[in-house]
């Protein structure tokens, strides 16, 4: 089962690399791209290979940057902060002009980024904001508040909350406290759902309703499962759970496993949200185990970051579209926000298959 999952992810990633390479005339070496960028080193530091999305992000970035002629150093840090710090240090030493960082813990990179700044290197925060430093120059991400809002609105609509329906039993699973995105995911969803909790249309039997209580360290699927196992055995032996807000796809899979062990089955699951449209989750959507996910097209994010790199290298200001939302504790980081979209059984073919993000056979 695990092997099947990993193979499916590998096939999808290989496909994405080929796709990404097509547009720019090749993905293998600097000689295939713009000669203006020859010899310019760009570092790409990704948090982990253990989740599908970061493999895609890394592969997309590498292929697109290489197609532009850059010399790319792509590293994955396996969710270990010290590994990420030393990989970034290496990039600085090697003379990377720009470093793109998908942070593991946005608050732990201040001193290594000071080194980067001192060496004249520009830093782009990728997807997650790097906190408490002025050495981060730009931020490219999806509208993280919008992600949470889409999840909240999905639950609102599917349960008929606007029409006054309820009471429904509801629980929340979110991500780690050290990922700044979680603040936005949680707020976006709770701004929609809190009024229904206040009115008693949504009832949280566990009473766990804060970001701290609902956190999942490292976005770890097994930890999300363990927490939901406990909730189900403590509060739901005599009641049905109607909806679970899950901030992303890995936590959603953990919650689904807990529910299945407690006797829930495909077609009879609560409304369950997710984020990333990872392959196992899209399969779960098609099978009726997960209700929806939020699709963040990693190809578009990579395109935007490559544009930022090009502008920095050309000595220009990269395009941004938000200069107020993302304060990292030291400054507001100029950001480019892309728009996330909901995906469920009704539109996955159009969004994910027709757009070439996945092949129909990936979902077999
Ligand atoms: C990203 C999500 C992802 C999660 C776990 C978040 O920072 O925005 O897309 O699901 O990390 O990797």
């Amino acid at each position: 089962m695990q092997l099947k999952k990993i193979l499916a992810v590998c096939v999808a990633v290989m496909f994405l690399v080929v796709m990404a390479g097509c547009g720019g005339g090749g993905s293998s070496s600097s000689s295939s791209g713009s000669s203006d960028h020859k010899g310019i080193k760009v570092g790409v530091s990704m948090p982990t290979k253990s989740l599908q999305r970061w493999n895609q992000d890394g592969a997309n970035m590498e292929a697109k940057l290489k197609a532009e002629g850059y010399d790319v150093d792509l590293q994955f840090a396996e969710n270990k902060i010290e590994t990420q710090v030393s990989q970034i240090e290496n990039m600085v030493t090697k003379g990377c002009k720009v470093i793109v960082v998908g942070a593991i813990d946005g608050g732990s990179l201040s001193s290594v980024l000071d080194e980067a700044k001192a060496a004249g290197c520009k830093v782009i925060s990728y997807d997650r904001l790097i906190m408490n430093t002025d050495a981060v120059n730009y931020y490219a991400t999806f509208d993280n508040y919008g992600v949470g809002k889409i999840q909240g609105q999905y639950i609102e609509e599917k349960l008929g909350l606007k029409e006054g329906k309820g009471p429904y039993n509801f629980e929340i699973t979110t991500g780690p406290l050290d990922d700044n995105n979680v603040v936005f995911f949680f707020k976006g969803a709770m701004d929609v759902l809190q009024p229904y909790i206040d009115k008693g249309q949504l009832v949280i039997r566990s009473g766990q309703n804060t970001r701290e209580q609902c956190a999942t360290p490292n976005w770890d699927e097994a930890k999300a499962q363990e927490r939901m196992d406990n909730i189900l055995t403590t509060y739901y032996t005599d009641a049905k759970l109607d909806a679970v807000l899950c901030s992303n796809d890995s936590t959603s899979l953990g919650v689904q496993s807990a529910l299945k062990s407690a006797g829930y089955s495909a077609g009879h699951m609560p409304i369950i949200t997710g984020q990333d449209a990872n392959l196992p989750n899209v399969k779960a959507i098609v099978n009726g185990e997960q209700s929806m996910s939020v699709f963040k097209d990693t190809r578009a994010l990579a395109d935007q970051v490559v544009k930022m790199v090009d502008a920095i290298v050309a000595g220009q200001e990269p395009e941004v579209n938000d200069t107020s939302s993302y304060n990292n504790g030291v400054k507001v980081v100029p950001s480019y926000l892309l728009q996330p979209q909901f995906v469920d059984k009704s539109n996955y073919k159009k969004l994910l298959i027709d757009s070439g993000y996945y092949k129909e056979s990936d979902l077999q």
Side-chain angles (χ1 to χ4, degrees):
M1 184 59 206
Q2 194 57 25
L3 186 66
K4 264 174 83 181
K5 259 194 205 170
I6 293 170
L7 278 174
V9 168
C10 290
V11 169
V13 169
M14 278 165 61
F15 174 69
L16 283 162
V17 173
V18 172
M19 290 296 293
C22 290
S27 65
S28 58
S29 84
S30 40
S31 57
S32 58
S34 154
S35 52
D36 291 340
H37 300 142
K38 213 169 174 176
I40 298 178
K41 294 191 177 71
V42 178
V44 180
S45 167
M46 289 286 135
T48 176
K49 274 192 168 166
S50 68
L51 271 193
Q52 181 190 331
R53 74 149 293 181
W54 303 111
N55 290 275
Q56 285 173 200
D57 286 287
N60 282 334
M61 287 292 308
E62 184 179 43
K64 287 177 196 236
L65 286 167
K66 280 188 171 173
E68 288 275 319
Y70 294 102
D71 184 353
V72 185
D73 182 11
L74 167 66
Q75 302 291 336
F76 293 86
E78 293 324 315
N79 268 338
K80 293 203 180 72
I81 296 168
E82 31 338 323
T83 306
Q84 184 160 50
V85 169
S86 79
Q87 287 173 343
I88 296 173
E89 250 162 14
N90 249 324
M91 290 170 183
V92 175
T93 314
K94 278 189 196 163
C96 286
K97 195 160 173 73
V98 183
I99 303 182
V100 179
V101 184
I104 296 166
D105 172 351
S108 303
L109 299 175
S110 308
S111 49
V112 69
L113 292 193
D114 283 345
E115 289 173 35
K117 188 179 174 185
C121 176
K122 299 280 186 221
V123 174
I124 301 173
S125 205
Y126 185 94
D127 194 88
R128 298 172 176 167
L129 185 59
I130 300 172
M131 307 301 287
N132 307 322
T133 174
D134 72 342
V136 54
N137 301 93
Y138 299 99
Y139 182 34
T141 191
F142 286 84
D143 174 359
N144 293 306
Y145 179 85
V147 169
K149 197 166 162 200
I150 289 173
Q151 294 168 334
Q153 285 173 336
Y154 196 88
I155 292 176
E156 178 186 52
E157 190 203 316
K158 294 293 163 188
L159 292 182
L161 297 172
K162 259 191 194 160
E163 293 76 59
K165 291 193 185 153
Y168 293 110
N169 290 324
F170 170 63
E171 295 291 339
I172 304 165
T173 298
T174 192
L177 298 174
D178 55 17
D179 183 342
N180 186 60
N181 285 355
V182 175
V183 178
F184 290 82
F185 299 151
F186 189 75
K187 184 159 177 16
M190 295 312 276
D191 280 354
V192 177
L193 299 174
Q194 189 63 47
Y196 301 111
I197 298 171
D198 296 342
K199 282 191 261 179
Q201 284 175 264
L202 291 176
V203 179
I204 304 179
R205 285 190 158 217
S206 71
Q208 298 176 16
N209 61 0
T210 64
R211 198 157 52 82
E212 288 72 18
Q213 289 170 318
C214 304
T216 309
N218 258 336
W219 292 102
D220 188 79
E221 179 179 332
K223 294 206 171 84
Q225 178 174 351
E226 195 183 307
R227 177 172 163 270
M228 191 49 62
D229 279 336
N230 285 333
I231 290 180
L232 291 170
T233 50
T234 315
Y235 303 99
Y236 290 91
T237 47
D238 60 346
K240 195 172 123 281
L241 186 52
D242 299 299
V244 190
L245 170 71
C246 292
S247 286
N248 88 330
D249 277 352
S250 57
T251 55
S252 188
L253 282 186
V255 165
Q256 288 166 51
S257 300
L259 285 161
K260 284 188 257 175
S261 323
Y264 292 76
S265 60
H268 306 279
M269 297 288 262
I271 306 293
I272 305 176
T273 62
Q275 167 184 196
D276 291 339
N278 284 337
L279 272 176
N281 299 78
V282 179
K283 287 183 191 171
I285 289 174
V286 175
N287 295 340
E289 291 172 347
Q290 178 171 330
S291 314
M292 61 86 77
S293 189
V294 179
F295 176 46
K296 305 196 299 189
D297 192 334
T298 51
R299 297 168 300 188
L301 184 55
D303 280 341
Q304 202 57 45
V305 175
V306 173
K307 278 192 207 158
M308 280 184 168
V309 173
D310 286 345
I312 291 169
V313 168
Q316 294 158 0
E317 278 300 319
E319 182 190 1
V320 293
N321 61 9
D322 186 299
T323 49
S324 62
S325 304
Y326 288 95
N327 189 324
N328 78 346
V330 171
K331 68 176 194 183
V332 174
V333 184
S335 307
Y336 194 97
L337 308 187
L338 290 124
Q339 282 316 306
Q341 290 163 281
F342 91 92
V343 57
D344 71 0
K345 223 172 178 164
S346 71
N347 67 351
Y348 82 93
K349 281 203 170 131
K350 183 164 170 274
L351 269 189
L352 303 177
I353 312 287
D354 298 352
S355 76
Y357 200 73
Y358 292 136
K359 284 183 287 185
E360 189 79 65
S361 57
D362 294 333
L363 300 178
Q364 303 311 308

